[in-house]
Amino acid sequence: MNTLLDAVRTGRCDRVTTLITPLTDSERRAHLPELTALRREIRSWDWSRRWDAESTLRALHLAGAACHTGPAAAASWIAARDLREVRPHDTAPLVALLAARDRAWRADVAHRLAARTATVEDDYPLIRALLQGTGAPAPTTDGFVQAWARATTTGTTTAPAGRRPHPRPRPLRVALREDPYTAELVPHLFRTAEPAPALTWYDDPRTPGRWPAELAHLAAEGTVARHTLLTGSINRLLRGGRTAHLAFYTDLLDVLDPTTDERAEHTADWIALAADAPSPTAARAQQTLTALFEAGRLPAGHLADMSTAVLFRPEKKLVRAQLVLLGKALRRDAADRFTLLPATAAAFGHTDTALQDKALKLVAAHLRPDDDALRADLAFEAEQLGPALRRTAAALLGAIADPDGGTGPDGYEETLPTVPAHRPLTTAGRSVAETVELVAALAKSNAPTAEETETALDLLVRHAHQDRTALAAALLPALADRYWAGRDTGLADPAHLSVTELLAAAVLGRLAPADLSPNRPVGGRGYGQNCIHDALQRVTTARAREAALRVLTDPLPFLLATPTRDCGTLEPHDLIGRLTAYGRQGIAPAPTDFAQALLRVRRDPQAAGAAAALATPEGRRLADWLTTGPAATPHTRHVTDQDRGPRNWWGAERETVRRIVLELPEHPIVQQEFPAVFHPLGRPRTGTPHCWHWRGQELAHLAVLPQDRETQAVWLLPELTECAIAEDRGAGEVLSRLAELGGPAGPALHLAVATALGARHAEDRLAAVDALLVLAARGELDTALLGRDLAELLGLGTVKPNRLADAARTAAATGAYATTWAALAVALPAVLTDGPARGAGELLAVAADCVEHCGAGGPLPEGLAEAAARKGTSQLATQARRLQAALNVTTG
């Protein structure tokens, strides 16, 4: 009878300790096979039995750790995941069993446990206990250092040998003083990838008992070298990272309050931080360098290096402070102008023309008449200035290339992107191997594109018509991992398959024709019947089910609705050619496939004659469809109030926001002549704020109506509005693709673009700029209509001036200055009248930049003269005067 194994099975940890203690190493190793077998047996127990066997697992953990005589094996057993969940928090029995091991063995195990990132924090008390009395250095892994900081902060550090553990947590200062590893581990606090979370547990870094204050105290008493803390903090800041992660190190530097000599020792480091660190850290570095300048410890060369870097940053506050510092330096010693003025010229390329103007005035104030060589260098840099300032610089510095900046009716040329070209979507002639490869990839894809899906569907239909048996033989190995592909699993349920899987399952004979009947309801992948995305998905699914049924009953040679190009558009001549081929073979078109083809075909009245000549019902329907003309989808528009957020428990009213809502009327043709699955697309629909659907398929849904941008813009507007007034994101990507489709670019699409230009997140605003430029490049952008929409949205608060300014600045920077100004000229009165809106100055700055570049003329926007007449140097007044001057120069 094995007494030790019985003790383990019964969960008697005290008995395990008694039995193992007197054993030799060889006797302990002799028990390992049966302990390992028990561990393997427990893994096969179900969860209910394992729950009842917690005591057995604890005893097994203790026995296995003590019986392993190799440090690597012992550490692996101690840290085992299957034993960790039931381990006791009290490590005393295990420590007692391992205490007889030699010091090197215990230190080795401790260091191996400390190297396990996932478990080091839980094992910290055990690691400390194993290290006691070994004389070994402390582990310096990130996990151990962070666990040490946490334990020291909470006052639960293991007490030194010979002392009883403290009955209550100790203050941080006491814990640091009594810990033998303090001097050894403090330098490693600055070397971890991320700061130990415990370091940041403070409100005021100078409060006693908090890490910054206590580290400064350690330096003051000599436990840790002050130089170690200063250098460690600066080096950690130089490594970079998130602002929140760097705050501790800047706070520690503030508490340490470096002397002038200590700051001067790291001058190059401060300059590097001012150049590249996150804004708060760069500001601290700039302040430190300013203090060195005030103390006379910052040479002109270093100041020039610093200025060149800081003036390149986008933060206006940092650039403004740097120009002030340069002004002080130039007034202190005029001889430094040869070093400092070229550095000042770095601000000539800043996006803010007010800062460009400030830098140019600084140059004008300190440049002397005989500085010919310096003037030539500055003239070269002045080419970065805006058009208005370039003329001023030409008068000051002499010859400047293109002093007018290319403005005026003859000098300016609008730069617009190339109209996006759509790739042809070809399926004819592609092999079975290519088909199998594509289908296998799509079966595992969560968000296939419309191009990929349409290609796969048509290829499956084509090859199934030619030789279904050969196609099935090639598909089966590639889809062997799909649960529905095996013949021993029964027939598959169409409701659980993607559209590509539907066709593949039909080829493999894994679907029953009755389950694909048109009379069966078509399930979408959304959450509700009223969601437009669910309705679009149902159309795609219904067409795939129809094609799958024809594979099983009457195979089609190809699909009619396969797009001509990757955007989803179907050319009329392609559809006419396919209908002609159907007629020659005596094949009746599938209703859903033909209806989808009508929605995708580009309406070209000149092709109607060829369609009518087919002399078939489908040909006549196509001819009628082509001659109806691409008129803009009519819709009604109104502003509605909506409550946002839950009502507060104390009864406060919810926030009310105003939004523009578009409503679509009924589409009679879709309702009367199309299959039932298309009817939701033709029903009246209100732009409700939210709908719920599976995300990731919105881009693919665009291919259902690629020739009706207006209808899709109405459907998309609620999501774009949420991107502007809430935290939603991602709808801008759909808008940028929508702009590339066909059909009229009417008021709904313009309103969608205007709304997205004020989106909260930068990626959505950038996508809106892409949509705007695509429309402009195609000659479809009505800038007056866009400007009126922007004015209304600004008045409602849906679009914020600062966000619109960011989007407009991006659009203008591509070279579309005239286009951007044409829209802003109509929108500006909304932020200038009835009291200038917050952020109006930023929007005026972009407008002025556009006018200066393109030389646009026209009357002053309403409210601009009043804003320009304001006293003071606020951004609003300054930029209003700048815009007024630019327009007056142009019109004059």
Side-chain angles (χ1 to χ4, degrees):
M1 180 177 181
N2 191 320
T3 307
L4 177 59
L5 190 61
D6 291 341
V8 171
R9 284 187 176 276
T10 56
R12 297 185 58 186
C13 292
D14 55 342
R15 180 65 175 160
V16 169
T17 301
T18 302
L19 292 172
I20 292 180
T21 300
L23 298 181
T24 64
D25 284 356
S26 60
E27 291 172 335
R28 294 187 183 194
R29 286 194 295 270
H31 288 286
L32 286 176
E34 54 199 16
L35 293 176
T36 303
L38 177 59
R39 179 180 175 186
R40 190 179 303 112
E41 175 189 339
I42 293 175
R43 286 175 177 171
S44 65
W45 293 354
D46 59 31
W47 284 107
S48 62
R49 189 175 179 188
R50 291 195 65 180
W51 182 267
D52 296 334
E54 285 189 6
S55 58
T56 301
L57 288 168
R58 293 193 185 99
L60 177 61
H61 180 266
L62 180 64
C67 288
H68 278 94
T69 57
S76 178
W77 186 280
I78 291 171
R81 178 176 298 180
D82 57 328
L83 302 174
R84 172 167 297 277
E85 295 179 357
V86 296
R87 286 178 45 185
H89 294 292
D90 183 12
T91 60
L94 181 56
V95 173
L97 275 175
L98 301 181
R101 301 286 187 185
D102 62 72
R103 297 179 179 181
W105 189 94
R106 286 186 281 124
D108 192 354
V109 172
H111 278 260
R112 290 177 184 275
L113 292 175
R116 294 175 175 266
T117 304
T119 57
V120 60
E121 186 168 352
D122 290 339
D123 287 337
Y124 177 77
L126 175 61
I127 295 170
R128 289 299 302 262
L130 290 172
L131 287 171
Q132 283 187 14
T134 63
T140 56
T141 62
D142 284 11
F144 183 82
V145 172
Q146 293 183 357
W148 172 77
R150 182 184 181 90
T152 307
T153 303
T154 57
T156 57
T157 306
T158 303
R163 297 190 186 182
R164 297 182 61 185
H166 289 268
R168 62 177 60 90
R170 295 166 294 165
L172 178 59
R173 180 169 298 183
V174 175
L176 287 171
R177 183 188 305 120
E178 295 183 351
D179 195 312
Y181 292 130
T182 293
E184 184 179 351
L185 290 179
V186 163
H188 290 280
L189 293 174
F190 306 96
R191 299 169 188 166
T192 57
E194 295 182 359
L199 299 180
T200 62
W201 295 349
Y202 59 82
D203 293 325
D204 185 352
R206 300 181 184 275
T207 302
R210 302 296 182 262
W211 274 97
E214 295 309 326
L215 287 176
H217 178 76
L218 291 177
E221 65 182 15
T223 304
V224 178
R226 177 179 172 87
H227 181 268
T228 298
L229 301 181
L230 289 171
T231 305
S233 296
I234 294 173
N235 288 342
R236 183 60 185 81
L237 292 173
L238 287 169
R239 281 169 51 192
R242 293 191 297 173
T243 302
H245 287 171
L246 301 180
F248 166 76
Y249 306 103
T250 54
D251 288 342
L252 177 57
L253 288 173
D254 287 345
V255 174
L256 290 171
D257 191 17
T259 64
T260 300
D261 288 339
E262 289 172 332
R263 293 175 177 176
E265 182 183 352
H266 294 280
T267 298
D269 296 330
W270 300 121
I271 293 175
L273 290 173
D276 299 320
S279 187
T281 305
R284 299 280 188 100
Q286 187 184 49
Q287 293 167 6
T288 300
L289 290 166
T290 301
L292 287 175
F293 168 78
E294 299 290 352
R297 301 292 296 275
L298 188 66
H302 286 164
L303 178 56
D305 293 339
M306 170 196 177
S307 300
T308 302
V310 173
L311 295 178
F312 188 74
R313 295 183 66 110
E315 298 93 336
K316 299 176 185 178
K317 184 177 180 180
L318 293 179
V319 175
R320 193 176 297 110
Q322 193 64 29
L323 291 174
V324 171
L325 179 59
L326 282 169
K328 292 179 180 179
L330 289 167
R331 288 192 295 272
R332 174 182 290 183
D333 189 348
D336 288 339
R337 68 185 183 278
F338 297 101
T339 302
L340 298 181
L341 286 182
T344 304
F348 289 170
H350 200 276
T351 57
D352 189 335
T353 55
L355 295 175
Q356 293 181 12
D357 185 37
K358 188 176 182 67
L360 185 59
K361 289 178 179 177
L362 194 59
V363 169
H366 296 279
L367 190 65
R368 296 188 177 180
D370 55 346
D371 294 336
D372 295 333
L374 180 57
R375 182 175 280 103
D377 291 340
L378 293 174
F380 177 77
E381 296 294 337
E383 295 177 10
Q384 304 176 74
L385 292 168
L389 293 176
R390 200 175 301 169
R391 290 188 288 269
T392 303
L396 172 67
L397 303 174
I400 293 179
D402 192 13
D404 292 327
T407 60
D410 298 327
Y412 175 75
E413 182 177 352
E414 185 85 343
T415 302
L416 293 173
T418 304
V419 177
H422 296 292
R423 299 187 308 273
L425 192 154
T426 57
T427 55
R430 298 181 67 170
S431 67
V432 172
E434 291 179 280
T435 303
V436 171
E437 182 181 2
L438 177 58
V439 171
L442 294 185
K444 299 176 183 179
S445 175
N446 293 325
T449 65
E451 178 185 7
E452 294 170 335
T453 299
E454 291 295 335
T455 301
L457 293 181
D458 193 58
L459 286 174
L460 285 170
V461 168
R462 286 176 181 271
H463 288 296
H465 181 265
Q466 294 169 8
D467 191 342
R468 178 183 162 190
T469 302
L471 177 60
L475 273 177
L476 188 57
L479 299 175
D481 60 335
R482 312 310 293 174
Y483 74 91
W484 47 265
R487 294 192 174 276
D488 56 347
T489 59
L491 295 178
D493 183 355
H496 297 156
L497 302 180
S498 68
V499 292
T500 306
E501 289 177 325
L502 276 169
L503 264 294
V507 171
L508 295 175
R510 309 307 304 140
L511 295 175
D515 293 336
L516 300 172
S517 171
N519 298 324
R520 290 289 185 95
V522 179
R525 302 185 69 180
Y527 289 105
Q529 298 288 338
N530 294 324
C531 174
I532 188 58
H533 302 89
D534 183 74
L536 292 168
Q537 183 62 46
R538 288 172 186 272
V539 168
T540 302
T541 302
R543 178 165 166 260
R545 290 180 62 168
E546 179 185 71
L549 179 60
R550 293 296 293 265
V551 166
L552 295 172
T553 58
D554 183 16
L556 296 168
F558 47 80
L559 294 175
L560 294 176
T562 302
T564 302
R565 291 188 291 273
D566 63 336
C567 61
T569 297
L570 174 59
E571 287 297 323
H573 67 269
D574 285 334
L575 180 54
I576 293 171
R578 293 170 189 174
L579 287 172
T580 301
Y582 267 37
R584 285 198 302 264
Q585 300 179 42
I587 297 175
T592 305
D593 186 34
F594 178 67
Q596 175 64 93
L598 289 180
L599 293 180
R600 284 179 173 166
V601 71
R602 182 175 60 83
R603 298 193 179 187
D604 182 2
Q606 295 182 357
L614 294 174
T616 62
E618 289 77 19
R620 287 188 289 273
R621 283 190 62 190
L622 176 59
D624 292 341
W625 185 264
L626 293 174
T627 54
T628 55
T633 302
H635 59 264
T636 58
R637 170 175 174 155
H638 64 272
V639 176
T640 184
D641 295 336
Q642 179 197 349
D643 291 339
R644 291 184 56 81
R647 185 180 297 276
N648 297 323
W649 65 269
W650 58 85
E653 293 297 327
R654 292 182 290 182
E655 177 190 6
T656 300
V657 296
R658 308 192 71 197
R659 64 169 69 231
I660 299 176
V661 172
L662 302 183
E663 296 183 2
L664 286 171
E666 183 179 57
H667 197 306
I669 296 178
V670 173
Q671 291 282 65
Q672 298 167 11
E673 300 180 12
F674 279 61
V677 73
F678 290 87
H679 293 177
L681 306 185
R683 292 174 187 158
R685 188 172 295 275
T686 302
T688 52
H690 284 290
C691 64
W692 303 101
H693 59 282
W694 290 106
R695 307 294 298 188
Q697 288 295 313
E698 294 89 345
L699 291 177
H701 291 158
L702 294 177
V704 177
L705 288 98
Q707 290 297 304
D708 195 349
R709 287 182 292 183
E710 280 291 279
T711 295
Q712 300 215 56
V714 173
W715 293 340
L716 183 61
L717 182 62
E719 293 184 51
L720 294 172
T721 303
E722 290 299 309
C723 288
I725 65 178
E727 294 289 342
D728 289 13
R729 66 198 313 162
E733 181 183 7
V734 183
L735 176 65
S736 66
R737 290 289 298 275
L738 179 60
E740 299 177 9
L741 300 184
L749 184 57
H750 280 74
L751 178 60
V753 172
T755 303
L757 289 172
R760 179 181 294 269
H761 298 288
E763 63 268 25
D764 286 318
R765 295 197 297 271
L766 183 60
V769 170
D770 288 341
L772 182 150
L773 295 176
V774 165
L775 294 177
R778 295 171 60 163
E780 298 173 333
L781 182 67
D782 185 339
T783 54
L785 175 59
L786 180 65
R788 290 193 297 271
D789 286 337
L790 287 171
E792 185 176 6
L793 292 168
L794 287 165
L796 293 173
T798 303
V799 170
K800 303 293 189 295
N802 61 323
R803 296 177 188 168
L804 176 58
D806 177 73
R809 185 183 301 111
T810 302
T814 66
Y817 290 102
T819 299
T820 306
W821 163 246
L824 290 182
V826 182
L828 281 177
V831 297
L832 294 176
T833 57
D834 298 329
R838 182 179 181 182
E842 191 172 353
L843 196 57
L844 286 171
V846 179
D849 197 37
C850 291
V851 172
E852 289 174 353
H853 276 85
C854 71
L860 299 182
E862 184 181 358
L864 180 63
E866 292 77 3
R870 285 172 166 250
K871 296 180 179 180
T873 58
S874 66
Q875 185 185 34
L876 174 68
T878 301
Q879 297 300 334
R881 288 193 285 269
R882 177 187 165 208
L883 177 57
Q884 185 182 43
L887 287 171
N888 285 337
V889 167
T890 304
T891 56

